[in-house]
Amino acid sequence: MNNNETFDPVIIGFTCNWCSYRAADLAGTSRTKYPHNIRLIRLMCSGRLDPTFVFKALANGADGVMITGCHPGECHYLEQNYKALRRFHLLRRTLKGLGVEPERVKLVWASAAEGKKFATEVGSFVEEIRALGPLNWYRSNGRSPDDSGPTSHEPAPDLKEVPA
Amino acid sequence: MTVNGNKPKFAMYWAASCGGCEIAVLNIHEKILDVDANFDVVFWPVAMDAKYKDVEAMEDGSILLTLFNGGIRNDENEHIAKLLRRKSKILVAFGSCANEGCIPGLANLSDSREIVSTAFNTISTDNPKQIYPMISYDVPEGEIHIPKILPVLKTLDQVVDVDYYMPGCPPESHQIAAVIDLVVQVLQGKAELPPKGTVIGAGNSTVCDECKRARNIKMVKSFKRIWGVEVDPELCLLEQGIPCNGIATRSGCNARCPTAGAQCIGCYGPAEGVIDYGARLISAFASVIDSNDPEEIDRILDGIVDPTGQFYRFNLAGSLLKAGKPAWEKA
Ligand code: SF4
Ligand code: SF4
Ligand code: FES
């Protein structure tokens, strides 16, 4: 159906300000290469990851979403990464029920020192998504979430995270 | 019904719906006489004989108030939605189907061809000749048409501009009565219409907010289906591990279900500010699970047997993804 060789996945990556965002930064400063497919969005903590962000990313054209946070026990807001873990499990089950491959959403722990690990994880996730093929959810024919009128009953609040 | 050219015109229509919204309107008892006293009912298929061509002949904007219930499942629904939009000053998405897809919207989990084949070709259907409906058919009198099913069911505001939203499956009769009261007062110059886009006939809070059950700390070690347990009549259901959707659901029903001993399944739709109903519930349910261990979390989640149905029973068509993959691929 699709040519996975030429398919260039779009991946949204949610990073935690205290760990994985710094890991990505470290990968950058130490010139560790990783695929360009991931667009990173910085949150203050993986606990800020509202599943709405994931649905919105997928609905608007992302092929996969990577959620990253501090290792268990290392969250700067005590236990919020466990909350992210539980959300992630329930989110995957829900996606499965919708017929969407749950593997399109991945959870990765990466400390600020793990630039290499971060780069490797991005690399392998891109390949996993490439193997799954494009998701193709976005519709430009007036049926995309942004074009088809409000899905909730009030103007959508800005979903963008305020930079730290 | 008195026909008085000076009275403002009223219409009500059902698209893909169960008919419960119409019953709910009739359930307002003697208030229905206010509708008749204040309006000229020009189109209401369930209550009176009127033809689409009568509506087509009306002047644009000549109907003051149209209550539109039902989702947009086929091209006839879509045509009438557009027609009534043109003819009406105020178009209200009435009831869960028109607002967010509701139960008919659950069909968005399946490819529409599969839906048709289930309806006409399963073991419970007596159809030995494999007869399927055809969109158009030649008879001696000419060509006849039936409506064509759309790949996904759409909410009213995914098809036309909507002025007000009135949620509920169906909207509670006391809420309908209150809205009719308001419109009558507006007509008499005693009140003003709320801003366009307002949710009317409901609250701005959540079902939990109206629920009288006692709440402590929610620490859930297992989720249970309600028929499998003895339910504490006083305590919050979610605290007892019964997946209750009250926390994400708009108030307006006086917390009917938890008051009666059953969990809220979400018929009033997303609470104010909730963009994706299911996402809000995923967050909420994940927060009450009392475990940090991936394997135990998985075991606890096994108790929510059908998360997609639990989270999107009413809201699938109105959600961010709008459908399951088998249907969306064809859309
Ligand atoms: S979760 Fe259900 S039972 Fe608990 S307070 Fe909310 S509505 Fe009431
Ligand atoms: S409690 Fe929930 S399901 Fe029951 S009537 Fe109210 S909104 Fe609907
Ligand atoms: S601070 Fe990094 S996951 Fe919470």
Side-chain angles (χ1 to χ4, degrees):
Chain A
M1 186 184 97
N2 52 71
N3 186 343
N4 289 358
E5 305 277 285
T6 56
F7 164 49
D8 207 22
V10 174
I11 290 162
I12 302 296
F14 292 99
T15 54
C16 158
N17 182 53
W18 304 106
C19 52
S20 48
Y21 188 78
R22 292 172 189 213
D25 209 28
L26 179 62
T29 48
S30 51
R31 298 182 174 250
T32 310
K33 284 209 171 104
Y34 63 88
H36 64 271
N37 304 66
I38 193 159
R39 280 79 161 153
L40 296 182
I41 296 174
R42 175 167 56 166
L43 309 175
M44 282 309 285
C45 169
S46 65
R48 177 64 181 91
L49 194 273
D50 182 332
T52 308
F53 303 169
V54 178
F55 288 126
K56 192 156 181 163
L58 297 176
N60 282 290
D63 301 297
V65 175
M66 189 160 127
I67 304 163
T68 63
C70 308
H71 284 273
E74 289 175 12
C75 172
H76 289 58
Y77 305 94
L78 303 175
E79 299 219 324
Q80 296 306 307
N81 52 355
Y82 290 115
K83 201 180 272 178
L85 169 73
R86 299 193 293 257
R87 284 177 184 167
F88 163 74
H89 278 276
L90 194 45
L91 180 64
R92 290 245 271 193
R93 285 167 180 251
T94 309
L95 284 176
K96 192 168 171 224
L98 290 166
V100 176
E101 302 84 355
E103 300 77 24
R104 291 189 185 272
V105 182
K106 188 174 189 175
L107 179 66
V108 169
W109 306 129
S111 78
E114 291 177 319
K116 270 239 156 54
K117 180 187 180 194
F118 184 85
T120 316
E121 291 284 1
V122 172
S124 55
F125 189 46
V126 169
E127 287 322 307
E128 286 157 37
I129 296 297
R130 204 190 300 280
L132 287 174
L135 182 61
N136 279 335
W137 213 272
Y138 183 77
R139 297 282 189 279
S140 52
N141 61 356
R143 249 186 261 122
S144 75
D146 290 335
D147 301 340
S148 60
T151 48
S152 105
H153 304 321
E154 57 161 26
D158 197 355
L159 280 182
K160 266 179 261 135
E161 189 73 10
V162 181
Chain B
M1 191 182 71
T2 46
V3 178
N4 176 339
N6 294 326
K7 278 200 289 187
K9 296 186 168 64
F10 170 91
M12 184 157 183
Y13 186 70
W14 49 5
S17 64
C18 72
C21 281
E22 319 273 343
I23 306 291
V25 171
L26 297 175
N27 246 348
I28 62 177
H29 305 299
E30 68 281 354
K31 264 264 156 6
I32 197 77
L33 298 174
D34 286 359
V35 176
D36 186 54
N38 289 281
F39 288 96
D40 181 6
V41 181
V42 291
F43 181 63
W44 189 359
V46 79
M48 63 179 284
D49 185 27
K51 305 284 183 249
Y52 291 164
K53 66 172 169 30
D54 301 337
V55 183
E56 273 149 18
M58 293 174 195
E59 223 172 278
D60 284 1
S62 62
I63 304 172
L64 178 72
L65 176 66
T66 294
L67 304 182
F68 191 107
N69 74 82
I72 310 301
R73 175 73 273 185
N74 61 34
D75 57 1
E76 178 189 17
N77 302 152
E78 185 157 0
H79 170 69
I80 301 298
K82 287 179 177 159
L83 179 65
L84 285 170
R85 170 67 285 180
R86 240 190 6 262
K87 303 296 172 187
S88 315
K89 280 213 174 63
I90 303 170
L91 180 66
V92 180
F94 187 90
S96 175
C97 293
N99 276 270
E100 51 176 349
C102 195
I103 307 298
L106 279 176
N108 284 5
L109 290 170
S110 313
D111 181 342
S112 60
R113 286 172 308 183
E114 195 188 314
I115 295 167
V116 174
S117 109
T118 302
F120 290 92
N121 183 31
T122 45
I123 193 146
S124 62
T125 311
D126 185 17
N127 187 7
K129 287 189 185 151
Q130 296 289 303
I131 294 169
Y132 278 77
M134 294 167 71
I135 306 300
S136 66
Y137 191 69
D138 281 323
V139 289
E141 293 80 8
E143 200 182 59
I144 53 173
H145 298 271
I146 61 163
K148 186 176 185 314
I149 192 168
L150 302 173
V152 293
L153 178 138
K154 295 184 251 182
T155 65
L156 185 60
D157 77 359
Q158 287 166 8
V159 173
V160 294
D161 196 33
V162 167
D163 297 304
Y164 299 110
Y165 300 86
M166 192 160 172
C169 177
E172 290 286 320
S173 291
H174 75 276
Q175 297 282 17
I176 302 174
V179 167
I180 288 180
D181 262 348
L182 171 75
V183 177
V184 169
Q185 284 185 9
V186 170
L187 288 176
Q188 296 168 348
K190 293 186 201 144
E192 271 185 42
L193 283 173
K196 190 179 156 163
T198 302
V199 176
I200 55 174
N204 292 325
S205 172
T206 62
V207 170
C208 287
D209 222 32
E210 291 187 330
C211 177
K212 301 277 182 310
R213 287 177 175 264
R215 269 151 277 183
N216 310 297
I217 298 172
K218 294 184 179 56
M219 304 264 270
V220 172
K221 275 282 182 205
S222 70
F223 285 110
K224 311 167 190 102
R225 303 182 93 173
I226 196 157
W227 43 260
V229 285
E230 206 163 305
V231 182
D232 182 319
E234 311 286 338
L235 188 65
C236 165
L237 295 165
L238 187 54
E239 241 169 79
Q240 300 179 56
I242 296 159
C244 179
N245 288 2
I247 205 158
T249 308
R250 184 179 285 275
S251 58
C253 68
N254 297 326
R256 256 180 190 264
C257 299
T259 306
Q263 74 274 37
C264 171
I265 54 175
C267 82
Y268 259 70
E272 194 81 18
V274 173
I275 295 170
D276 191 282
Y277 182 77
R280 172 62 61 94
L281 281 171
I282 291 172
S283 283
F285 285 10
S287 302
V288 302
I289 293 171
D290 182 21
S291 173
N292 289 339
D293 169 60
E295 272 164 35
E296 192 184 18
I297 292 170
D298 250 338
R299 257 200 318 280
I300 296 173
L301 288 177
D302 283 343
I304 301 175
V305 186
D306 169 19
T308 313
Q310 175 79 33
F311 301 147
Y312 291 112
R313 184 182 309 211
F314 293 93
N315 191 251
L316 182 58
S319 70
L320 281 172
L321 291 181
K322 296 187 167 69
K325 202 175 172 194
W328 196 246
E329 273 176 343
K330 304 282 164 7

